[in-house]
């Protein structure tokens, strides 16, 4: 159990037998304490854990344990500035076709981290999705088109839509077989997203760096999602569709969520 998990559990035990009014008062006090100790972004992350744990006790507490609109605006402004700074100069992807071939070879390994890293690049999905929820089904007769279900983040998307039309950078049959084999090598069905990240993030990112450093430099699984977007944009984007709209559609975001979509504009394909 992590320090945060213990803090959340202790707080839950402390208030679960209180009446609703006292629970809300305790939550407001907690919010003030967190504000005084941590940065705004850290507070937001911690509050997510508290809300998840306390929802079964009292659903009304979710409205107490949230950042004010004013503070949220400051956080978004800081995020926009970070994105703008990051996107001033795109990073090159060298020999991207060789990078795809490298990822395809990784799918044949018996190493969970290698297979996961390969699938992250070839499908553009998040590490936790690849390891637990991702499901790929056929879409048309084009073997590089698929439907993806199992998206873990739904901010800015149609929550009723359970399938996202995507492209795969190799034949989708290879993707489906590798995903099936990965499930056989590691069972994450009983793990939460946070537990999956803690258990596999370090080893998967090490596999990303060691395998793809020659193509894009030091990288993480999330960087591979951005490289995937750059390759798909080169190969599949219709001429009449904007970059943001196209990236949003294949990555499962709303095209109106420009901050998130812009954050994926990190790489370009070096000719």
């Amino acid at each position: 159990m992590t320090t945060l998990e213990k803090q959340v559990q202790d707080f839950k035990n402390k208030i679960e037998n209180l009446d609703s009014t006292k629970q809300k008062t305790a939550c407001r006090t907690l919010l003030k304490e967190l504000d005084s100790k941590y940065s705004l972004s850290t507070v937001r992350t911690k509050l997510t854990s508290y809300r998840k744990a306390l929802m079964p006790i009292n659903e009304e507490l979710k409205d107490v344990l949230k950042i004010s609109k004013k503070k949220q605006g400051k956080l978004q402004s800081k995020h926009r500035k970070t994105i703008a700074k990051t996107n001033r100069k795109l990073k090159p992807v060298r020999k991207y076709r060789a990078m795809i071939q490298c990822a395809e070879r990784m799918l044949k390994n018996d190493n969970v981290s290698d297979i996961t890293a390969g699938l992250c690049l070839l499908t553009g999905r998040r590490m936790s999705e690849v390891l637990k929820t991702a499901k790929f089904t056929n879409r048309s007769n084009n073997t590089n088109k698929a439907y993806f279900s199992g998206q873990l983040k739904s901010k800015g998307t149609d929550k009723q839509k359970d399938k996202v039309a995507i492209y795969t950078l190799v034949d989708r049959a290879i993707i489906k077989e590798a995903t099936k084999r990965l499930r056989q090598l590691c069972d994450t069905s009983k793990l939460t997203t946070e537990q999956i990240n803690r258990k596999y993030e370090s080893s998967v990112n090490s596999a990303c760096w060691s395998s793809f450093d020659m193509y894009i430099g030091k990288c993480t699984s999330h960087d591979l999602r951005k490289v995937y977007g750059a390759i798909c944009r080169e190969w599949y984007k219709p001429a009449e569709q904007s970059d943001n709209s196209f990236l949003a559609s294949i990555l499962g975001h709303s095209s109106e969520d420009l901050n998130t979509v812009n954050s994926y504009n990190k790489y370009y394909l070096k000719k």
Side-chain angles (χ1 to χ4, degrees):
M1 181 178 289
T2 65
T3 301
L4 177 58
E5 287 174 335
K6 186 178 185 306
Q7 290 171 343
V8 171
Q9 186 60 49
D10 288 346
F11 185 77
K12 180 181 178 181
N13 294 339
K14 176 182 175 181
I15 72 167
E16 62 182 345
N17 293 322
L18 301 178
D19 61 42
S20 180
T21 300
K22 290 182 179 180
Q23 286 177 346
K24 291 178 181 178
T25 299
C27 286
R28 292 189 185 97
T29 300
L30 172 68
L31 186 56
K32 290 180 181 179
E33 291 176 353
L34 294 176
D35 277 339
S36 66
K37 293 180 179 179
Y38 303 103
S39 66
L40 191 55
S41 59
T42 300
V43 171
R44 184 173 67 173
T45 300
K46 288 180 178 293
L47 288 180
T48 299
S49 297
Y50 278 98
R51 284 195 297 269
K52 287 182 179 179
L54 299 179
M55 279 282 286
I57 297 177
N58 184 348
E59 289 191 6
E60 294 179 357
L61 298 181
K62 68 179 182 181
D63 294 323
V64 180
L65 291 172
K66 65 180 183 181
I67 298 174
S68 68
K69 290 184 178 179
K70 182 178 180 180
K71 290 182 178 179
Q72 188 66 31
K74 290 182 179 179
L75 194 61
Q76 291 174 345
S77 177
K78 181 179 179 181
H79 182 58
R80 284 194 293 270
K81 290 178 181 178
T82 300
I83 291 174
K85 184 178 180 179
T86 302
N87 290 345
R88 286 174 185 170
K89 187 174 182 180
L90 300 180
K91 296 183 177 180
V93 180
R94 298 175 291 275
K95 299 182 179 179
Y96 71 92
R97 293 182 187 276
M99 185 178 181
I100 292 172
Q101 292 172 352
C102 175
E104 185 175 359
R105 289 193 297 272
M106 293 169 72
L107 301 186
K108 300 176 183 178
N109 296 345
D110 291 327
N111 182 287
V112 168
S113 297
D114 283 349
I115 299 173
T116 302
L119 286 172
C120 285
L121 174 65
L122 299 174
T123 69
R125 301 311 105 185
R126 300 177 180 88
M127 181 192 73
S128 50
E129 293 168 346
V130 167
L131 281 165
K132 182 178 180 179
T133 60
K135 182 179 180 181
F136 303 97
T137 52
N138 294 352
R139 168 192 165 206
S140 78
N141 293 325
N142 187 326
T143 58
N144 286 94
K145 289 184 177 181
Y147 284 114
F148 158 70
S149 58
Q151 181 155 309
L152 290 175
K153 293 186 179 180
S154 57
K155 179 184 177 182
T157 62
D158 181 355
K159 295 184 179 181
Q160 299 301 315
K161 185 177 180 181
D162 58 1
K163 288 184 178 180
V164 178
I166 70 167
Y167 297 92
T168 58
L169 301 185
V170 296
D171 193 302
R172 68 187 175 215
I174 296 174
I175 298 298
K176 291 165 70 175
E177 176 58 31
T179 303
K180 179 181 178 181
R181 198 159 67 85
L182 181 61
R183 298 285 192 276
Q184 295 171 342
L185 289 172
C186 67
D187 181 10
T188 59
S189 60
K190 296 181 180 179
L191 299 181
T192 65
T193 301
E194 291 77 11
Q195 289 171 332
I196 290 173
N197 288 337
R198 284 201 305 273
K199 184 174 182 178
Y200 293 102
E201 187 173 43
S202 178
S203 60
V204 170
N205 284 342
S206 293
C208 294
W209 188 3
S210 62
S211 299
F212 303 124
D213 176 69
M214 68 177 68
Y215 305 109
I216 58 175
K218 184 177 180 179
C219 60
T220 65
S221 62
H222 195 60
D223 288 321
L224 300 186
R225 185 164 157 84
K226 299 172 184 179
V227 174
Y228 164 87
I231 296 173
C232 285
R233 186 173 55 207
E234 173 76 12
W235 283 2
Y236 301 117
K237 186 185 80 67
E240 68 276 9
Q241 189 174 11
S242 70
D243 286 358
N244 278 350
S245 174
F246 177 75
L247 287 176
S249 67
I250 63 172
L251 295 175
H253 290 288
S254 166
S255 58
E256 297 176 359
D257 185 10
L258 295 181
N259 286 337
T260 301
V261 177
N262 282 337
S263 69
Y264 286 97
N265 288 311
K266 181 176 180 178
Y267 296 97
Y268 74 95
L269 307 183
K270 188 172 182 179
K271 303 299 184 182

